[in-house]
Amino acid sequence: MIEKIRAKAKAPQIHRVVVNDVFNASIVQTPRLGILGWYRNTLIVGLPLMQALSRKEFAAVLAHEYGHLSNRHGKFVTWIYRIRMVWMQVYDSFGEDSGILSLLLTRFLRWYIPWFNAYSFVLARQDESEADRVAAAIVGP
């Protein structure tokens, strides 16, 4: 199912699939070459989500997630989506440390992340709408 949806979405391959216990699905892109890109794509799917949905509904969820990687997306919107995720990961990783640098950075991130999210909200909504359109085109309305 993953490969069929990938081909229809004209999206890059998934390198790894992780099944967890969260009622959610997502695709995470991890750069292999830092700022130069060459991303490794990981599909994360919650078992409770898979169990709750019909096969067609689950295919629509996968198609939506693939829509975020689709060639139909604009590069800038995809970049903004990726940057929003990176800032959240940075915030999560620094929240565990109690050093002075971590405390200062956490304070900055508590101010910056909501500001950046508000500023980029319209682009994020466009990204979600495009992913929905890709899913509807692949699986049906």
Side-chain angles (χ1 to χ4, degrees):
M1 180 187 288
I2 291 171
E3 182 52 33
K4 285 180 184 177
I5 291 171
R6 185 205 64 77
K8 288 180 181 178
K10 297 181 180 139
Q13 76 177 37
I14 295 293
H15 300 98
R16 183 172 166 221
V17 177
V18 175
V19 178
N20 63 19
D21 62 351
V22 178
F23 195 85
N24 197 12
S26 62
I27 289 183
V28 176
Q29 290 191 295
T30 308
R32 297 179 199 178
L33 299 177
I35 62 171
L36 299 177
W38 195 42
Y39 293 96
R40 179 176 175 82
N41 300 314
T42 302
L43 172 65
I44 304 169
V45 183
L47 183 59
L49 179 69
M50 288 191 284
Q51 292 172 326
L53 300 176
S54 70
R55 185 172 172 82
K56 187 171 181 176
E57 290 169 333
F58 182 65
V61 169
L62 288 180
H64 172 91
E65 293 307 321
Y66 255 123
H68 290 297
L69 302 179
S70 170
N71 290 335
R72 301 175 198 181
H73 265 35
K75 290 189 185 299
F76 182 69
V77 173
T78 302
W79 179 77
I80 289 292
Y81 179 80
R82 192 178 298 131
I83 293 299
R84 286 169 65 102
M85 297 299 110
V86 167
W87 278 117
M88 292 308 296
Q89 290 170 349
V90 167
Y91 179 74
D92 289 343
S93 68
F94 277 95
E96 299 168 3
D97 190 5
S98 60
I100 187 71
L101 179 60
S102 178
L103 292 174
L104 290 173
L105 188 56
T106 300
R107 189 172 188 178
F108 167 76
L109 293 173
R110 281 190 189 139
W111 165 80
Y112 181 75
I113 290 173
W115 178 85
F116 182 76
N117 283 344
Y119 191 75
S120 62
F121 180 77
V122 172
L123 291 172
R125 294 306 334 140
Q126 287 175 345
D127 184 63
E128 290 299 325
S129 293
E130 180 60 28
D132 287 343
R133 281 191 284 281
V134 169
I138 292 171
V139 179

